[in-house]
Amino acid sequence: MIQWLLRLTTPGLNQCACGGSAPDPFLARAFSHPQGAGVIGPGAQRLLRTVLADALARGAEGCDVVIARPDLERLLGTAFLQVPLHLAPVVHITDTLEDAIEHLESRAYATTAAGMVGQPPVLWLATPGDDADVVHQTLENQPSTDLIALFSGPWPYGPTHFITTDGPQHPPCHNLDLLTRDQAVARLRTLIWANSGSGDQETSGERPPS
């Protein structure tokens, strides 16, 4: 128990100690750990939502996203259960956590066979719950993948970040405003509308907010 509490951080990885150098462009990196990291506290879901919105906003220039449908619905509601066309190549929505694990394992096999050249980072957002040991084994089996794993709930195999309603105690070297669901959806709809000229079909209500 004491060792677990020592890993409970507010987040030490996020202290703005850039020393003048530019931070990693991916917000998720500021909270990541090679063994994965958990997020708890009253602001946890808003942080995960903000990380997801940051990744989706980058589109094909950013990272691939793997997330189970229940987690996506919890973070963004039903508005983004159907992925816009310009994001389809980089967002992988699975029905369950088990399906996400299978997707990552098959991806790791394909990546090993093809080589790492040109492979984007992978952001995995999940809720391990009682399956933490299985999730950890999945991480252990992917040494060749640039995998950023952030989990909702306490994480026994790496740091667990406590996030207040105002954010982490030591913000990372990013402009960090935790998003509500409505704010995240509005921001992403604006980006979808901006990309509609490249072939996306707008659905009802996907005009940018005025």
Side-chain angles (χ1 to χ4, degrees):
M1 176 63 72
I2 293 176
Q3 290 180 340
W4 185 86
L5 288 172
L6 288 174
R7 288 199 296 267
L8 183 64
T9 63
T10 315
L13 289 177
N14 305 336
Q15 296 182 11
C16 195
C18 298
S21 61
D24 189 285
F26 299 117
L27 176 60
R29 292 252 195 231
F31 300 90
S32 65
H33 185 273
Q35 297 297 316
V39 179
I40 63 173
Q45 297 308 306
R46 291 182 67 177
L47 175 67
L48 292 174
R49 182 181 299 117
T50 304
V51 165
L52 176 59
D54 174 74
L56 294 179
R58 299 176 186 279
E61 301 302 318
C63 58
D64 287 0
V65 177
V66 177
I67 186 169
R69 197 174 304 275
D71 290 306
L72 180 62
E73 187 169 356
R74 187 182 68 254
L75 295 178
L76 296 180
T78 59
F80 282 83
L81 292 183
Q82 183 173 356
V83 178
L85 292 179
H86 77 284
L87 291 177
V90 298
V91 180
H92 306 277
I93 304 172
T94 64
D95 288 331
T96 65
L97 174 64
E98 291 75 15
D99 292 337
I101 290 173
E102 289 182 8
H103 172 80
L104 288 166
E105 289 175 344
S106 63
R107 179 191 178 95
Y109 177 81
T111 299
T112 301
M116 286 295 295
V117 177
Q119 296 295 323
V122 179
L123 172 62
W124 184 18
L125 299 178
T127 304
D130 294 334
D131 296 316
D133 54 341
V134 178
V135 170
H136 179 249
Q137 187 61 51
T138 302
L139 296 178
E140 292 281 283
N141 292 339
Q142 307 222 22
S144 62
T145 302
D146 186 1
L147 183 58
I148 307 167
L150 293 179
F151 303 125
S152 177
W155 181 241
Y157 298 100
T160 294
H161 304 307
F162 184 86
I163 310 298
T164 71
T165 53
D166 296 324
Q169 181 178 354
H170 303 287
C173 300
H174 295 75
N175 293 323
L176 180 60
D177 293 316
L178 298 187
L179 301 176
T180 65
R181 180 184 291 180
D182 288 345
Q183 289 171 331
V185 169
R187 180 174 299 184
L188 291 170
R189 279 180 172 166
T190 299
L191 291 169
I192 291 170
W193 181 83
N195 280 278
S196 63
S198 63
D200 281 357
Q201 298 294 318
E202 292 182 24
T203 59
S204 176
E206 286 191 343
R207 285 285 181 180
S210 58

